[in-house]
Amino acid sequence: MELSILHWILGSQKSNFIKEHSKVNAVPLKNKKASSFHEFARNTSDAWDIGDDEDEDFSTSSFQTLNSKVALATAAQVLENHSKLRVKPERSQSMAADITANFKVIKSSSDAQLSRNSGDTCLRNPLHKQQSLPLRPIIPLVARISDQNASGAPPMTVREKTRLEKFRQLLSSHNTDLDELRKCSWPGVPREVRPVTWRLLSGYLPANTERRKMTLQRKREEYFGFIEQYYDSRNEEHHQDTYRQIHIDIPRTNPLIPLFQQPLVQEIFERILFIWAIRHPASGYVQGINDLVTPFFVVFLSEYVEEDVENFDVTNLSQDILRSIEADSFWCMSKLLDGIQDNYTFAQPGIQKKVQALEELVSRIDEQVHSHFRRYEVEYLQFAFRWMNNLLMRELPLRCTIRLWDTYQSEPEGFSHFHLYVCAAFLIKWRKEILDEEDFQGLLMLLQNLPTIHWGNEEIGLLLAEAYRLKYMFADAPNHYRR
């Protein structure tokens, strides 16, 4: 498999991985800047958990996650304040009102608290829970989920047809060779066979073709048995907080893709997340898990929809099809989370370890970037927490995430191990832009708004090739990996 991947990498790297991008335009700040993250933390508000627990007091455990919530909150607030300083004073108030209006996605009367977005939420106050949605920058969806090749190549080339035929032969054999399937899937899975391939790679479906139909039927019935048994308990006191947090987060999931704003789709997501949470009490529901449902849902929906799924009205599908999509999304998401559950348990130790590992890795592969962060007091936790918590889903268009997950599911060691090297490659991809920024605010703005909106298969392929190179160099060479 390694030789096959290396051949694929050599074919993919016809153009340089690190491309020159224009520097993010930045207007010098006229006011006095805080010199470090800690000064910002003392002067900004917690925008990460806005509206989550506004009726509750802070508990001690709220601050036992390496201050990750504060770090992310402050980063979001820094971006907001920095962008305000770049507009004329007379326009800033009207712009804030326009942005606020765009963020209102009210699902029911219980979400009324989310719409209380007043101007004073933008003021710098001591840390406290606010009562509005965070003003996070949102990049518009300018390319279809199914249009994964940003280079404008035709939808199906001769090579792609040959690959599709190879997949079909593998999938139709009496016992699918999973090692061969992983090898074929690493450079990407054709859209036509992605649903069944993902089910197999995740371990949800058996390799034996005769057992697949019975397995699907049994697992789908089992999932809806959980719904009948547990879903009504969302109204009970000991589960109310979990359900309430899920109910708040669902409208925030891909807010600019119409598919995910449909009430029926949001109900499906609520059931999936609630059932998973109560079946995994060690972690329960944690913000960010809601994002991890979306690739599975889109892939399994595409099995029944020919057109672009992001604008598809799911009420046009039968109840049986919707139930199948929901159950399959639940089980495959569960398989994914089984491998990274320590990311979401108390104090999120998995994320802490991965952020530390990323810092160590970057210090070895690019000392200049690492020193640049240290010089301007940028801590890896301030940007990499989200990369680990959401598996780069907030940094990449959904079409890119789906392509990325083709490879993640093909890796023998799963998502968690290879994701570290993808994050390192992703960071170094922007080394020129990082080194061009010479203040704390500018670096945070860049790292929270990396320009990937036009990315497609080509860019993801190059990113994965570089990540594979880093893994090949460092994963089995601890003396190279650590100082």
Side-chain angles (χ1 to χ4, degrees):
M1 178 176 176
E2 290 188 353
L3 286 175
S4 175
I5 293 172
L6 286 170
H7 285 309
W8 176 82
I9 290 172
L10 290 173
S12 298
Q13 291 182 319
K14 293 181 181 178
S15 59
N16 292 330
F17 177 73
I18 298 181
K19 300 178 182 178
E20 295 296 324
H21 290 268
S22 59
K23 181 175 180 282
V24 178
N25 293 327
V27 177
L29 300 182
K30 295 181 180 179
N31 65 325
K32 182 181 178 181
K33 302 172 191 172
S35 62
S36 71
F37 172 78
H38 301 289
E39 290 187 31
F40 277 106
R42 288 195 294 268
N43 294 305
T44 54
S45 301
D46 188 348
W48 179 253
D49 278 338
I50 291 170
D52 297 346
D53 303 297
E54 58 273 16
D55 297 327
E56 301 174 10
D57 295 330
F58 279 119
S59 63
T60 303
S61 62
S62 300
F63 295 98
Q64 293 180 352
T65 60
L66 263 185
N67 285 330
S68 57
K69 293 185 178 180
V70 175
L72 288 167
T74 303
Q77 194 70 48
V78 165
L79 300 180
E80 176 191 334
N81 293 336
H82 191 273
S83 63
K84 283 184 165 189
L85 290 168
R86 297 172 60 184
V87 299
K88 296 179 180 179
E90 62 269 17
R91 293 183 57 204
S92 59
Q93 186 174 359
S94 61
M95 285 187 67
D98 292 341
I99 294 171
T100 301
N102 291 334
F103 271 85
K104 290 182 180 178
V105 187
I106 304 301
K107 181 174 179 183
S108 67
S109 58
S110 65
D111 283 346
Q113 59 197 355
L114 301 180
S115 63
R116 297 200 294 269
N117 236 350
S118 60
D120 53 6
T121 60
C122 300
L123 298 177
R124 293 185 175 187
N125 295 321
L127 281 171
H128 62 84
K129 293 287 181 176
Q130 299 178 8
Q131 298 181 353
S132 64
L133 280 170
L135 295 183
R136 297 195 191 109
I138 288 191
I139 303 172
L141 186 73
V142 298
R144 299 172 302 170
I145 292 172
S146 59
D147 183 18
Q148 294 182 347
N149 197 324
S151 63
M156 183 73 74
T157 63
V158 173
R159 179 178 176 275
E160 288 168 342
K161 288 180 180 178
T162 303
R163 292 191 71 242
L164 177 58
E165 183 57 33
K166 176 68 181 294
F167 270 93
R168 284 177 171 158
Q169 290 177 1
L170 273 172
L171 296 171
S172 61
S173 60
H174 182 68
N175 281 294
T176 298
D177 185 338
L178 294 180
D179 289 335
E180 186 66 22
L181 184 63
R182 289 189 186 96
K183 189 186 302 183
C184 291
S185 300
W186 207 96
V189 181
R191 184 179 188 269
E192 295 82 354
V193 293
R194 183 175 277 129
V196 64
T197 301
W198 276 27
R199 292 186 188 106
L200 284 163
L201 292 178
S202 68
Y204 175 42
L205 272 188
N208 186 288
T209 53
E210 295 177 357
R211 294 174 51 208
R212 290 178 193 168
K213 184 176 181 180
M214 184 180 301
T215 299
L216 283 176
Q217 181 179 349
R218 176 174 57 83
K219 297 298 285 185
R220 288 167 179 172
E221 289 176 355
E222 184 179 355
Y223 168 71
F224 283 99
F226 294 152
I227 296 292
E228 292 178 10
Q229 185 174 358
Y230 300 117
Y231 195 56
D232 284 345
S233 68
R234 68 190 185 280
N235 299 315
E236 297 174 6
E237 184 176 355
H238 59 293
H239 287 151
Q240 279 182 348
D241 288 344
T242 295
Y243 178 71
R244 178 170 166 271
Q245 185 62 66
I246 292 171
H247 188 70
I248 288 171
D249 286 348
I250 292 299
R252 300 175 180 177
T253 306
N254 293 290
L256 293 183
I257 300 180
L259 172 69
F260 300 116
Q261 300 310 309
Q262 297 177 41
L264 186 54
V265 173
Q266 294 187 355
E267 290 171 13
I268 288 172
F269 275 47
E270 284 186 359
R271 287 194 293 269
I272 289 173
L273 293 169
F274 181 77
I275 295 301
W276 187 87
I278 63 173
R279 294 188 75 244
H280 295 81
S283 61
Y285 174 76
V286 176
Q287 284 180 298
I289 294 179
N290 54 305
D291 288 332
L292 305 184
V293 184
T294 55
F296 293 114
F297 185 82
V298 166
V299 167
F300 297 139
L301 176 62
S302 69
E303 195 168 19
Y304 304 97
V305 178
E306 292 293 332
E307 60 265 35
D308 296 314
V309 297
E310 59 263 40
N311 292 302
F312 181 76
D313 183 355
V314 297
T315 60
N316 293 324
L317 295 176
S318 69
Q319 185 68 19
D320 286 343
I321 288 176
L322 286 173
R323 286 168 64 91
S324 297
I325 294 170
E326 178 176 346
D328 292 357
S329 298
F330 169 81
W331 286 115
C332 288
M333 185 199 75
S334 297
K335 292 285 187 180
L336 161 62
L337 287 169
D338 284 347
I340 58 173
Q341 191 172 351
D342 63 342
N343 282 11
Y344 307 104
T345 53
F346 178 74
Q348 298 182 269
I351 290 179
Q352 295 183 28
K353 292 175 184 176
K354 289 181 180 66
V355 171
Q356 182 180 5
L358 178 65
E359 182 173 358
E360 293 174 354
L361 182 58
V362 172
S363 73
R364 302 306 297 163
I365 64 180
D366 199 321
E367 175 64 28
Q368 190 176 3
V369 167
H370 181 68
S371 298
H372 195 69
F373 286 152
R374 295 185 67 178
R375 178 181 178 184
Y376 294 106
E377 300 186 55
V378 173
E379 300 173 13
Y380 285 75
L381 182 66
Q382 294 158 14
F383 62 88
F385 178 91
R386 191 171 77 179
W387 294 11
M388 301 301 178
N389 191 59
N390 301 82
L391 298 178
L392 287 176
M393 288 193 64
R394 301 281 179 91
E395 278 50 59
L396 298 170
L398 183 55
R399 63 184 179 276
C400 293
T401 296
I402 291 172
R403 165 63 192 92
L404 186 65
W405 284 21
D406 288 342
T407 298
Y408 278 3
Q409 295 189 99
S410 306
E411 278 288 305
E413 294 166 288
F415 277 66
S416 183
H417 184 72
F418 193 57
H419 182 65
L420 170 65
Y421 299 95
V422 171
C423 287
F426 187 66
L427 181 63
I428 301 307
K429 167 71 176 70
W430 311 102
R431 77 180 309 274
K432 179 185 181 299
E433 290 82 357
I434 288 170
L435 295 176
D436 283 345
E437 293 291 346
E438 296 183 343
D439 65 75
F440 175 82
Q441 269 188 326
L443 282 165
L444 260 292
M445 272 202 72
L446 172 66
L447 291 166
Q448 293 276 342
N449 295 275
L450 292 167
T452 62
I453 185 59
H454 294 289
W455 277 29
N457 276 355
E458 182 180 354
E459 289 79 6
I460 294 298
L462 291 169
L463 178 70
L464 289 166
E466 178 66 7
Y468 184 83
R469 185 184 72 83
L470 294 176
K471 179 190 172 191
Y472 187 80
M473 290 176 62
F474 292 97
D476 299 318
N479 291 334
H480 292 171
Y481 181 83
R482 301 180 191 278
R483 289 188 179 279

